[in-house]
Amino acid sequence: MAAQLTTPATDPAGRVVGLRERKKQRTRDALVEAAHRLFLDQGFGHTTVDEIAAAVDVSQRTFFRYFANKDEVALAVMADAEDYFIECLRGRPAGESPLQALRASIVQCWRDLASSRHDGPSGVTAALELMQMIEDTPTLLAAHLRRITEQEQVVAGLLAAREGLDPAVDLRPKVMAAVFGGVLRSAHLAWSAQPEDSGPEGMIALIERHFDQLGPALAGDWRS
């Protein structure tokens, strides 16, 4: 009988991960999933770190090995999605324009996270469910906006590297990253206000519609 071959476990970026890393990732995922469920069931303010840890049958000390505080675990789903977007952007063809690369990357990110390969606490459904909670919780919104600002700097650096530019001299990468962030936030807010556009495809459609209006908004005649 032929020996059965096993495929090494990989993370979403395709990197092979060992047994210890997989066990740590499972614990982290379980904490994120438990926190997500508790936040949606009883509210962010009424959920404690002890309750999250107890739901996974780990100690508070174990929780703090993975997350600095409750805010961080609440934002973990969005942070993971944002990190995966950066991976997508790094992999875009060099021949694409900056705007084409950004648009294709965010659509690819949402579609991949919505696929079966990305089910669970880092999936797109969890991200969509948490968006409204973030908007309704001032401390979470402030932390989320800080992370968006940090991500804009990363995006600007990637765009500058793709185009062979010095972002300290040429402002276009920073401007494009800021515009891109504004388009995404507008799409996210529109999705939160329109529950009929539910699910990943509803979000992707809103993102595409917002990008379709970017050119006319910047250079079109608004009075025609």
Side-chain angles (χ1 to χ4, degrees), residues 99 179 182-183 186 209-224:
L99 184 57
V179 168
V183 169
S186 180
R209 280 162 52 193
H210 277 70
F211 271 109
D212 287 342
Q213 291 301 311
L214 181 57
L218 292 176
D221 182 356
W222 287 24
R223 298 181 181 181
S224 62

Side-chain angles (χ1 to χ4, degrees), residues 12 77-92 100-119 122-125 127-128 131 147 151 180 184 188 200-201 203-204 207-208 211:
V77 169
M78 297 301 295
D80 289 348
E82 290 157 5
D83 288 344
Y84 185 62
F85 161 74
I86 293 298
E87 292 282 352
C88 293
L89 182 59
R90 291 184 196 277
R92 295 308 305 174
Q100 287 173 328
L102 289 167
R103 180 171 182 166
S105 295
I106 194 61
V107 171
Q108 177 191 346
C109 175
W110 279 102
R111 288 226 161 95
D112 283 355
L113 292 175
S115 73
S116 59
R117 295 186 296 107
H118 294 280
D119 282 343
S122 294
V124 69
T125 301
L128 292 173
M131 276 185 186
R147 181 173 171 85
Q151 189 189 45
F180 173 74
L184 276 193
H188 292 169
E201 288 304 319
M203 172 58 78
I204 291 169
I207 290 172
E208 294 275 31
F211 271 109

Side-chain angles (χ1 to χ4, degrees), residues 47-64:
T47 300
T48 67
V49 168
D50 284 340
E51 287 175 314
I52 298 169
V56 183
D57 198 23
V58 299
S59 67
Q60 187 186 83
R61 182 177 179 182
T62 297
F63 174 92
F64 285 120

